[in-house]
Amino acid sequence: MKKTVFILIIVLCGLSIKEEVKAGRQINIENIQDYTQDYNEIYELEDDITALINDARRMNGDDELPQDFEVDFTKSYKVFIDSDIFSLNSDSKASIMQLLNEGEYVWSLFLQADNNYYIVNISKGLPLRDEAASLLSEDEINRIKSEEGKWIVSGISKLEYEISYDDIINNALKNTQYYEEDVEVVLCGGLKCIHYPVAVIMYEGNAQLIVPLYELEVKGTSEQMRRALPEGASEKDNVYNYDSIKNAVNKMSAEEEYNDMSGSGSVVILSDMSESGVNQNENMLYYFSVIAVVIIITGVACVVVYKKGE
């Protein structure tokens, strides 16, 4: 397990997490303490979590944790993973939650020890893949089989500073109409073209906004960006209209998606969907106007010809 965790430490430390900004109100995100069965199982991992943090500290040249250190599970977040919510025809909360609840989720636990901050990822053990079995020792095979379907520590990372998803979301919403509203927040990871977690903001039964929790590069013209931003927000606010991001992701070409996956895995290229929709409407109006004029002129000409014939 330790080799796997160390690899994840290197990968996770390479991510750029959105800088924390203190905000005033509490965001309601599902907490591990709301799930009795999960909590009871994950609480049993406290010794494993402590041992792995000590391993990480030794790697970074830090002292081991104080003897009285206790894992605080209150700063934990439920993150749904690998469910393609962008493929849904509907943006309704009911449709999105139905798909998410049919899929998998992980817990992201944020911890503080003295002046150091950590994120611990907890997921369920996966079944042993046949193609991997030949590359593993008997002990490794037995360990993987014993962990299948059980909560395990899948990754740990030391952070540069304390972060809070609640504060990131609050800061993103502060200039939008939703800041004072009773919104619902769902965290999703492993989305198409957006592989790191985002917050989906629900209001009045529909997904309204997306707030990236890690760096997300959104590319587009100034007009495309204007349409992708909720009213009152600017690019620096780190919040986008849900339907704009969904439409953009679904229109990204296979080549664009491949290039994205081979790079940071966090790039969205805004499409001309909304823009082309406007242009198409304008073009259709133009064509209908031309046709109407032609019909009128033709009709008048026919009347003139008819009268001359009389």
Side-chain angles (χ1 to χ4, degrees):
M1 177 187 290
K2 291 183 179 179
K3 278 189 178 178
T4 303
V5 172
F6 290 163
I7 292 172
L8 287 170
I9 288 173
I10 295 170
V11 173
L12 291 171
C13 283
L15 301 182
S16 178
I17 301 174
K18 300 302 293 184
E19 185 174 358
E20 178 190 21
V21 179
K22 296 294 182 183
R25 67 177 187 136
Q26 183 68 30
I27 292 291
N28 185 24
I29 305 175
E30 289 183 292
N31 189 283
I32 198 170
Q33 295 181 106
D34 299 327
Y35 290 76
T36 304
Q37 183 173 348
D38 285 5
Y39 179 78
N40 290 338
E41 292 181 25
I42 291 173
Y43 183 79
E44 297 297 321
L45 298 174
E46 183 170 15
D47 289 343
D48 290 347
I49 293 171
T50 301
L52 290 168
I53 291 177
N54 276 329
D55 288 342
R57 288 168 73 91
R58 282 191 292 270
M59 287 182 63
N60 290 317
D62 298 327
D63 294 332
E64 291 194 356
L65 293 168
Q67 291 295 322
D68 59 351
F69 174 79
E70 294 183 358
V71 176
D72 178 9
F73 289 98
T74 59
K75 288 188 176 181
S76 57
Y77 300 91
K78 183 179 183 180
V79 183
F80 292 96
I81 58 171
D82 299 335
S83 292
D84 189 7
I85 59 175
F86 294 147
S87 67
L88 296 172
N89 292 326
S90 171
D91 293 343
S92 71
K93 173 190 172 184
S95 298
I96 291 173
M97 292 311 302
Q98 179 179 348
L99 180 62
L100 292 176
N101 287 325
E102 291 171 354
E104 302 293 331
Y105 64 91
V106 299
W107 292 102
S108 292
L109 172 63
F110 290 86
L111 297 174
Q112 178 181 355
D114 44 59
N115 293 321
N116 295 309
Y117 303 94
Y118 303 90
I119 179 172
V120 180
N121 292 320
I122 302 171
S123 61
K124 285 196 172 182
L126 299 175
L128 177 66
R129 292 178 295 130
D130 292 337
E131 59 269 26
S134 61
L135 305 174
L136 302 173
S137 67
E138 184 176 350
D139 288 343
E140 290 172 325
I141 291 174
N142 290 334
R143 176 181 58 78
I144 292 174
K145 288 182 176 179
S146 69
E147 292 175 344
E148 182 179 346
K150 298 179 182 178
W151 289 109
I152 61 172
V153 180
S154 56
I156 182 172
S157 174
K158 181 179 179 181
L159 306 174
E160 293 183 5
Y161 43 76
E162 182 181 13
I163 68 167
S164 165
Y165 286 167
D166 303 68
D167 294 339
I168 293 172
I169 295 167
N170 265 324
N171 190 56
L173 297 182
K174 68 180 181 180
N175 291 324
T176 73
Q177 69 185 78
Y178 301 97
Y179 183 67
E180 299 295 338
E181 302 295 346
D182 186 18
V183 298
E184 297 177 73
V185 179
V186 178
L187 306 186
C188 299
L191 299 177
K192 180 181 179 184
C193 300
I194 310 176
H195 307 147
Y196 305 134
V198 300
V200 177
I201 311 300
M202 310 274 195
Y203 182 66
E204 294 186 342
N206 289 290
Q208 303 288 352
L209 306 173
I210 278 185
V211 176
L213 301 174
Y214 296 78
E215 291 291 345
L216 175 65
E217 185 178 3
V218 178
K219 298 180 179 180
T221 65
S222 57
E223 180 61 20
Q224 289 170 335
M225 288 298 300
R226 184 186 66 80
R227 289 178 175 152
L229 296 171
E231 184 177 352
S234 65
E235 291 185 41
K236 66 179 182 180
D237 288 324
N238 187 48
V239 59
Y240 303 92
N241 290 320
Y242 179 85
D243 58 351
S244 295
I245 297 298
K246 172 183 174 179
N247 292 340
V249 166
N250 287 333
K251 285 202 71 179
M252 283 178 66
S253 67
E255 181 180 0
E256 289 170 333
E257 187 176 352
Y258 173 79
N259 290 336
D260 169 51
M261 290 180 68
S262 63
S264 66
S266 55
V267 177
V268 170
I269 301 173
L270 293 175
S271 71
D272 290 329
M273 179 170 285
S274 58
E275 201 169 23
S276 63
V278 173
N279 289 339
Q280 286 174 3
N281 290 337
E282 292 174 349
N283 290 337
M284 291 296 289
L285 180 61
Y286 171 76
Y287 294 143
F288 282 135
S289 299
V290 171
I291 292 172
V293 171
V294 170
I295 291 173
I296 291 171
I297 293 174
T298 304
V300 171
C302 289
V303 170
V304 171
V305 171
Y306 176 77
K307 284 185 176 180
K308 284 185 178 180
E310 290 181 338

